Amino acid sequence: MDEKSVGNFFEDFRIGQVIKHATPRTITTGDVALYTALYGSRFAVQSSDVFAKNIGYARAPVDDLLVFHIVFGKTVPEISLNAIANLGYASCQFLLPVYPGDTLNAISEVIGLRENSNKQSGVVYVRSKGFNQKGKVILDYVRWVMVRKRDEFASTGETKIPKLLSHVESQQLGTAVPLLKLKGYDNSLSGSNHRFTHYKVGDKIDHRDGMTVEEAEHQIATRLYQNTARVHFNQFAEGQSRFGRRLIYGGHVLSIARALSFNGIANAFHVAAINGGRHVAPLFAGLTVFAWSEVLDCRDIPKRRDVGALRLRTIATKDRPCADFPFKHGEEYDPAVILDLDYWALVPR
Amino acid sequence: MDEKSVGNFFEDFRIGQVIKHATPRTITTGDVALYTALYGSRFAVQSSDVFAKNIGYARAPVDDLLVFHIVFGKTVPEISLNAIANLGYASCQFLLPVYPGDTLNAISEVIGLRENSNKQSGVVYVRSKGFNQKGKVILDYVRWVMVRKRDEFASTGETKIPKLLSHVESQQLGTAVPLLKLKGYDNSLSGSNHRFTHYKVGDKIDHRDGMTVEEAEHQIATRLYQNTARVHFNQFAEGQSRFGRRLIYGGHVLSIARALSFNGIANAFHVAAINGGRHVAPLFAGLTVFAWSEVLDCRDIPKRRDVGALRLRTIATKDRPCADFPFKHGEEYDPAVILDLDYWALVPR
Amino acid sequence: MDEKSVGNFFEDFRIGQVIKHATPRTITTGDVALYTALYGSRFAVQSSDVFAKNIGYARAPVDDLLVFHIVFGKTVPEISLNAIANLGYASCQFLLPVYPGDTLNAISEVIGLRENSNKQSGVVYVRSKGFNQKGKVILDYVRWVMVRKRDEFASTGETKIPKLLSHVESQQLGTAVPLLKLKGYDNSLSGSNHRFTHYKVGDKIDHRDGMTVEEAEHQIATRLYQNTARVHFNQFAEGQSRFGRRLIYGGHVLSIARALSFNGIANAFHVAAINGGRHVAPLFAGLTVFAWSEVLDCRDIPKRRDVGALRLRTIATKDRPCADFPFKHGEEYDPAVILDLDYWALVPR
């Protein structure tokens, strides 16, 4: 048996361990078409070569979250094949544009380990980087995940909880966006007159539409990302689990929420960084996803007069419209909430 | 709230109003592959670069109906987000070939308005045009749609019912087709020996196959077209509607019927114009679509000896094979009929 | 009625008859993206242009089974539209690499006929060849299929059962693979350290993962291949059949099993030949496919020190994990087995 298809268990990880992941992937306009078909995303920069060129890109860049999913997918076989839960992301930065034709691969470093007191599992912290064919880092993020132990009595002998930043600093943002030619940015084509200065801290935006997810859709999406996590595909096994159903890849919810957010922030065309993301509850096929966003911060980016950065909290719910902005009741999330995402989006001025 | 995501209500429209739609779209071979996968279309000209070049195209053109759906999708946010029903199309002309790599956008002009006597809604008539990246009109059509009023007491103050033509004149057809090199047109590869002169007025053709539609399929299709009409995607809301189910985009039926029609009219490779289209009844997932066609007219095109024009009525049904050509009982459509389409197809001589 | 859409019946075939099939198809990166999304295949050579170039290809070649399905799909209208059962494949060779941009078509020759004693049907043997745009044979295989008779009293007047080889000889393999630059073959990126010499006859490999199939998925796949066999798409008709459900295209199972096999044989990147394939039982949507493989033979290829050939038996099952390698009980297949595939894969040394 090839050891890699069994995946790593908690005790297999070591602090400082570096893992070079399979499978390299050339992203194509085929992937882009599928991404559009799966989420219905309408941001003009990613949809039109002409629009993108008019503002300074070489051509339409690949949607940031598609890049994220493809890099993330590569890390699954070694990092999270035996995961119980994907606990969170932090310090995620989109550093360079990715274009169709670019080839991506991924490397992860183990930066933290903490065994659970029940000795059945532990938390693994990794910093993963995505590279293009020139060896340049295009994506850099931290995630932590609860991983099963193979052997209750095994030990990694190491405990380290890395210091995680609450957010990416605004001055670090924007390296993936060329200096924009704002004369080329047409509000009619982009779908909104609302540029950066329209938004202010505390604004709440209902993204209005709802999107029902089918089993075929999330499976097609997750395979497109070559993400092999078993819980998404195997009804025979999952039918015997506590949920009785296949779990939908959390990143699928991320992309649905982002696509829905076009209603209200159509000019927030680039995800520059993800400060933190939490999958509050699982999503299953047949349910309908809604979303709303709150503006947490509005920041200039040093030396850039073309774009500003909005820090947004985007909340996604299941079977619950968001006109009244459901979030938390005291410390507890509203039971309909499935995603709590904190990210920086760039918006032209 | 960005006003655009709320959509226009009947009283927001004005005669002569011109609307430039978001989102521009570069069509790619990825879109073409998805279109093939969604409908199984087999017309050789659109499937093979070699076949297309052999008869005079630069390469395989994009399927006409894919072009239609992409242009149509752009018009939804401003024209039909608050629609009760899409009532019809007319005078739809495919004017230039579209190739992968072309970037499309759309503009609509309001050409008619008529409030309903119940004051709850009204009919909006628009002429929509699709443009390529050179600013050339590639598609031009009229549609009319019943749109809700926001406020019962509001009024547009205008009533105008545009004169709609019963059909596009045959001498206007064919501008999207280069002068064909008929020596390069291989019947074995195209799938039929039946050229233009084989057909005569009154011929009825059962397209034989049936295609069952799944929720995931019509959602993937409709998102591919960046069509955001809510009734297609939101089971949470539609579950509470009179149908209790998501409505399938009418254009999805159009494309299924066209793909099925390969059985019998395999050489009718180009939709030159749609004279009129009526979605007689809604389609829901789980039902099977069948289709048949009748030849309504056979016309020469001035100065063209390479192709002739067939005017076809294509009827699509649900859960009802078409060997006996179901259509109308007196004035009423057979209850199985879902689409009544009148169009011009070009066929090589 | 165009005779071609009715399909051939047993008595329509003649020994030596040559059939040139519609529809030619230009394969694109869009097709490749869909193939990845449908099966989640992770072989590095087909996924990355950079990886492929580093070992000597012009770019990432198209997955062998995608080529097979596209050629196979073309043969359906004339060969198997009226088939009762697809009985088997043999002597299937992948002769040249296929790249995005290549245009494929197909020709079949009838090489055998045998009427069944019940006079209701007969077995048709065909040798089908797929060609690229240069007229080169890229795929060559024999299949036999049980086809209905139109008329019980009709006769072909011919009986011939062709001699079928048990397997393709190993010295014939590898023409579709350039001489590999093994220095460029990176095990970390390919996903396994196991090269050719790691494997030995008798090795059994559980491919571990399970993949549940949805109706939308197999329909999208089968239409992508422009395969029009009615049993896959028409729930209205199939609901009245003995199974009461749509049958999943056997090739869909082939591709699922091949994608799952990455777990254990990640470096077996090329299907060089299919010695024989048998669809032991039908698959229906909602069921989960598992697979395991046994190494039947390990062969050098004359004059090639870069790759060796593994002869593999891959067994796919439904709703039955394969940790204990289910196969046969005496002469009978385990009731969970749906596919028994015997093929040659090439593996770098």
Side-chain angles (χ1 to χ4, degrees):
Chain A
M1 187 64 222
D2 199 340
E3 68 291 342
K4 288 200 178 179
S5 61
V6 183
N8 289 311
F9 290 85
F10 179 72
E11 63 265 38
D12 298 325
F13 292 99
R14 293 291 175 271
I15 300 286
Q17 182 182 358
V18 173
I19 300 164
K20 190 172 171 184
H21 302 290
T23 297
R25 169 77 165 271
T26 303
I27 298 188
T28 70
T29 54
D31 300 316
V32 170
L34 265 161
Y35 192 83
T36 302
L38 288 163
Y39 306 108
S41 189
R42 288 175 285 149
F43 294 97
V45 174
Q46 286 76 19
S47 181
S48 164
D49 283 340
V50 175
F51 191 98
K53 282 180 190 169
N54 282 346
I55 63 168
Y57 281 92
R59 63 186 290 192
V62 174
D63 191 285
D64 304 298
L65 294 184
L66 174 53
V67 171
F68 178 82
H69 298 321
I70 285 181
V71 171
F72 183 97
K74 298 188 189 323
T75 70
V76 166
E78 281 101 351
I79 305 302
S80 51
L81 205 61
N82 299 305
I84 298 165
N86 197 22
L87 298 173
Y89 321 106
S91 297
C92 174
Q93 288 184 263
F94 294 86
L95 295 164
L96 286 175
V98 173
Y99 294 106
D102 284 353
T103 298
L104 304 188
N105 57 44
I107 292 178
S108 296
E109 181 180 354
V110 180
I111 60 169
L113 289 171
R114 194 197 68 204
E115 190 168 346
N116 286 328
S117 54
N118 66 7
K119 306 281 180 187
Q120 305 293 316
S121 59
V123 178
V124 180
Y125 298 79
V126 292
R127 172 176 288 279
S128 297
K129 293 182 182 184
F131 297 83
N132 66 16
Q133 68 281 5
K134 295 172 187 165
K136 302 280 189 188
V137 181
I138 48 99
L139 176 66
D140 185 332
Y141 68 96
V142 172
R143 76 160 162 146
W144 54 107
V145 58
M146 193 183 298
V147 178
R148 281 190 190 82
K149 290 177 69 182
R150 184 190 293 106
D151 171 4
E152 187 182 340
F153 300 102
S155 166
T156 66
E158 297 179 293
T159 296
K160 181 179 175 185
I161 302 175
K163 189 160 184 288
L164 297 173
L165 301 172
S166 68
H167 63 281
V168 177
E169 295 298 327
S170 57
Q171 53 267 36
Q172 296 177 268
L173 305 174
T175 56
V177 175
L179 206 62
L180 297 190
K181 301 174 195 166
L182 289 180
K183 274 197 290 192
Y185 199 101
D186 180 330
N187 285 353
S188 300
L189 293 177
S190 72
S192 171
N193 295 322
H194 295 174
R195 300 290 185 93
F196 178 63
T197 54
H198 171 86
Y199 298 93
K200 58 181 192 304
V201 174
D203 283 353
K204 293 183 177 183
I205 302 156
D206 175 15
H207 301 312
R208 300 181 60 93
D209 289 342
M211 182 64 68
T212 306
V213 180
E214 300 294 324
E215 298 281 13
E217 293 170 354
H218 76 84
Q219 291 198 149
I220 286 172
T222 310
R223 285 184 302 238
L224 179 68
Y225 315 141
Q226 296 170 308
N227 176 332
T228 60
R230 289 163 179 154
V231 291
H232 309 316
F233 302 110
N234 186 335
Q235 181 57 35
F236 180 81
E238 296 308 309
Q240 300 158 33
S241 74
R242 66 181 164 132
F243 296 118
R245 309 196 54 180
R246 281 161 278 178
L247 278 170
I248 292 175
Y249 165 49
H252 196 64
V253 177
L254 223 66
S255 284
I256 293 172
R258 170 77 179 148
L260 292 176
S261 78
F262 184 88
N263 287 341
I265 54 167
N267 286 327
F269 68 88
H270 170 56
V271 176
I274 297 175
N275 298 308
R278 185 169 165 202
H279 297 296
V280 174
L283 180 69
F284 303 103
L287 299 173
T288 302
V289 177
F290 296 85
W292 67 277
S293 295
E294 179 173 357
V295 179
L296 301 180
D297 203 352
C298 302
R299 291 280 175 157
D300 295 342
I301 299 177
K303 297 181 183 167
R304 295 199 68 154
R305 298 185 183 176
D306 55 335
V307 289
L310 292 185
R311 186 174 171 187
L312 298 161
R313 175 192 292 125
T314 295
I315 300 295
T317 60
K318 54 185 175 190
D319 276 7
R320 168 74 160 84
C322 292
D324 60 346
F325 313 118
F327 184 35
K328 288 185 176 178
H329 307 287
E331 292 292 295
E332 296 288 305
Y333 282 99
D334 182 290
V337 171
I338 55 175
L339 172 72
D340 181 357
L341 178 71
D342 174 345
Y343 77 105
W344 286 109
L346 297 202
V347 189
R349 288 174 180 275
Chain B
M1 188 62 221
D2 199 340
E3 68 291 343
K4 289 203 178 176
S5 61
V6 183
N8 289 311
F9 290 84
F10 179 71
E11 63 266 37
D12 299 325
F13 292 99
R14 293 291 175 271
I15 300 286
Q17 182 182 358
V18 173
I19 300 164
K20 189 172 169 184
H21 302 291
T23 296
R25 171 76 165 273
T26 303
I27 298 188
T28 69
T29 54
D31 300 317
V32 170
L34 265 161
Y35 193 82
T36 302
L38 287 163
Y39 305 108
S41 188
R42 287 176 286 150
F43 295 97
V45 175
Q46 285 78 17
S47 180
S48 165
D49 283 340
V50 174
F51 192 97
K53 283 179 189 169
N54 283 346
I55 63 169
Y57 282 92
R59 62 186 289 193
V62 174
D63 191 284
D64 303 298
L65 293 184
L66 174 53
V67 171
F68 178 82
H69 298 322
I70 284 181
V71 171
F72 184 98
K74 297 188 190 323
T75 70
V76 167
E78 281 101 351
I79 306 302
S80 51
L81 205 60
N82 299 305
I84 298 165
N86 198 23
L87 298 173
Y89 321 106
S91 297
C92 174
Q93 287 184 263
F94 295 86
L95 295 164
L96 286 175
V98 173
Y99 295 106
D102 284 353
T103 298
L104 304 187
N105 56 44
I107 292 177
S108 296
E109 181 180 354
V110 179
I111 60 169
L113 289 171
R114 194 197 68 205
E115 190 168 346
N116 286 328
S117 54
N118 66 8
K119 305 282 181 187
Q120 304 293 316
S121 58
V123 178
V124 180
Y125 298 80
V126 292
R127 172 176 288 279
S128 298
K129 293 183 183 183
F131 296 84
N132 67 15
Q133 69 280 3
K134 295 172 184 163
K136 302 281 189 189
V137 180
I138 48 99
L139 176 66
D140 185 333
Y141 68 97
V142 172
R143 77 161 161 144
W144 55 108
V145 58
M146 193 182 299
V147 178
R148 283 191 189 81
K149 289 177 69 181
R150 185 192 292 106
D151 171 5
E152 186 181 341
F153 301 101
S155 166
T156 66
E158 297 179 292
T159 296
K160 180 178 175 186
I161 301 174
K163 189 161 185 289
L164 297 173
L165 302 171
S166 69
H167 64 280
V168 176
E169 294 297 328
S170 58
Q171 53 267 40
Q172 296 177 267
L173 305 174
T175 58
V177 175
L179 206 62
L180 297 190
K181 302 174 194 165
L182 288 180
K183 273 197 290 192
Y185 199 101
D186 180 329
N187 285 353
S188 300
L189 294 177
S190 72
S192 170
N193 295 322
H194 297 173
R195 300 290 186 93
F196 178 64
T197 55
H198 170 86
Y199 298 93
K200 59 182 193 301
V201 174
D203 283 352
K204 293 183 178 184
I205 302 158
D206 175 14
H207 301 312
R208 301 181 59 92
D209 289 341
M211 182 64 67
T212 305
V213 180
E214 300 294 323
E215 299 280 13
E217 294 170 353
H218 76 83
Q219 291 199 147
I220 287 172
T222 310
R223 285 185 302 239
L224 179 68
Y225 314 140
Q226 296 171 309
N227 177 332
T228 60
R230 289 164 177 151
V231 292
H232 309 316
F233 302 111
N234 186 335
Q235 181 57 35
F236 180 80
E238 297 309 309
Q240 300 158 32
S241 75
R242 66 180 164 133
F243 296 119
R245 309 196 55 180
R246 281 161 277 177
L247 278 169
I248 292 174
Y249 165 50
H252 196 64
V253 177
L254 224 64
S255 283
I256 293 172
R258 169 77 178 147
L260 293 176
S261 78
F262 184 89
N263 288 340
I265 54 167
N267 285 328
F269 68 89
H270 171 55
V271 176
I274 297 176
N275 297 309
R278 184 167 166 204
H279 297 295
V280 175
L283 179 69
F284 303 103
L287 299 172
T288 301
V289 177
F290 296 84
W292 67 276
S293 296
E294 179 172 358
V295 179
L296 301 180
D297 203 353
C298 302
R299 290 280 175 158
D300 295 342
I301 298 177
K303 298 183 182 166
R304 296 199 68 153
R305 297 186 184 176
D306 55 335
V307 289
L310 292 185
R311 185 173 172 186
L312 298 161
R313 175 192 292 125
T314 295
I315 299 295
T317 61
K318 53 185 174 191
D319 277 6
R320 168 74 160 86
C322 293
D324 61 346
F325 313 118
F327 184 35
K328 288 183 175 178
H329 307 287
E331 291 292 294
E332 296 288 305
Y333 281 100
D334 182 290
V337 171
I338 55 175
L339 172 72
D340 181 356
L341 179 71
D342 175 345
Y343 76 105
W344 286 109
L346 297 202
V347 189
R349 289 172 181 277
Chain C
M1 188 61 223
D2 199 340
E3 68 291 344
K4 288 203 178 177
S5 61
V6 183
N8 289 311
F9 290 84
F10 178 71
E11 62 266 38
D12 298 326
F13 292 99
R14 293 292 175 271
I15 300 284
Q17 182 182 358
V18 173
I19 300 164
K20 190 172 171 185
H21 303 290
T23 297
R25 170 76 165 272
T26 303
I27 298 188
T28 70
T29 54
D31 300 318
V32 170
L34 265 161
Y35 192 83
T36 302
L38 288 163
Y39 306 108
S41 189
R42 288 176 285 150
F43 296 97
V45 174
Q46 285 77 17
S47 181
S48 166
D49 284 340
V50 175
F51 191 98
K53 282 180 191 171
N54 283 345
I55 63 169
Y57 282 91
R59 63 185 290 193
V62 174
D63 192 284
D64 304 298
L65 295 184
L66 174 52
V67 171
F68 178 82
H69 299 321
I70 285 181
V71 171
F72 184 97
K74 298 188 190 324
T75 69
V76 167
E78 280 101 351
I79 306 300
S80 51
L81 205 61
N82 299 306
I84 298 165
N86 198 23
L87 298 172
Y89 321 106
S91 298
C92 174
Q93 288 185 263
F94 295 87
L95 295 164
L96 286 175
V98 173
Y99 294 107
D102 284 354
T103 298
L104 305 188
N105 56 43
I107 292 177
S108 296
E109 181 179 355
V110 180
I111 60 170
L113 290 171
R114 193 198 68 206
E115 190 168 347
N116 286 328
S117 54
N118 66 8
K119 306 280 179 187
Q120 304 294 315
S121 58
V123 178
V124 180
Y125 298 78
V126 292
R127 171 176 290 277
S128 298
K129 294 182 182 184
F131 296 83
N132 66 16
Q133 68 281 2
K134 296 172 185 163
K136 302 280 188 189
V137 181
I138 47 100
L139 176 66
D140 186 333
Y141 67 97
V142 172
R143 76 160 162 145
W144 55 108
V145 59
M146 193 183 298
V147 178
R148 283 190 188 81
K149 290 177 69 180
R150 185 192 291 107
D151 170 5
E152 188 181 340
F153 301 102
S155 166
T156 66
E158 297 179 292
T159 296
K160 180 179 175 186
I161 302 174
K163 188 159 184 287
L164 297 173
L165 301 172
S166 68
H167 63 281
V168 177
E169 294 298 327
S170 57
Q171 53 267 37
Q172 296 177 268
L173 305 175
T175 57
V177 175
L179 205 62
L180 297 190
K181 303 173 194 167
L182 289 181
K183 273 197 291 192
Y185 198 101
D186 180 328
N187 285 353
S188 300
L189 294 178
S190 72
S192 171
N193 295 321
H194 295 174
R195 301 290 187 90
F196 178 64
T197 54
H198 170 86
Y199 298 93
K200 59 183 193 302
V201 173
D203 283 353
K204 293 184 177 183
I205 302 158
D206 175 15
H207 300 312
R208 302 182 59 92
D209 288 342
M211 182 64 67
T212 306
V213 180
E214 300 294 323
E215 299 280 12
E217 293 170 353
H218 76 84
Q219 292 199 147
I220 287 172
T222 310
R223 285 186 301 239
L224 179 68
Y225 314 140
Q226 296 171 307
N227 176 331
T228 61
R230 288 161 179 156
V231 290
H232 309 315
F233 302 110
N234 186 336
Q235 181 57 35
F236 180 81
E238 296 309 309
Q240 300 158 33
S241 74
R242 65 180 166 136
F243 297 119
R245 309 196 54 181
R246 281 161 278 179
L247 277 170
I248 292 175
Y249 165 49
H252 197 63
V253 177
L254 223 65
S255 283
I256 294 172
R258 169 77 180 147
L260 293 176
S261 78
F262 184 88
N263 288 340
I265 54 168
N267 285 328
F269 68 89
H270 171 55
V271 175
I274 296 175
N275 298 309
R278 184 168 168 205
H279 297 296
V280 174
L283 180 69
F284 303 103
L287 300 173
T288 302
V289 177
F290 296 85
W292 67 277
S293 295
E294 179 172 358
V295 179
L296 301 180
D297 203 353
C298 303
R299 290 281 175 158
D300 296 341
I301 299 177
K303 296 184 184 166
R304 294 198 70 154
R305 298 185 183 176
D306 56 335
V307 290
L310 292 185
R311 186 174 172 187
L312 297 161
R313 175 193 292 126
T314 295
I315 299 296
T317 61
K318 54 185 174 189
D319 277 6
R320 168 75 159 84
C322 293
D324 61 346
F325 312 119
F327 183 35
K328 288 185 176 177
H329 307 287
E331 292 293 295
E332 294 289 304
Y333 282 99
D334 181 290
V337 172
I338 55 175
L339 173 71
D340 181 356
L341 179 70
D342 174 346
Y343 76 107
W344 286 109
L346 297 203
V347 189
R349 290 173 179 275

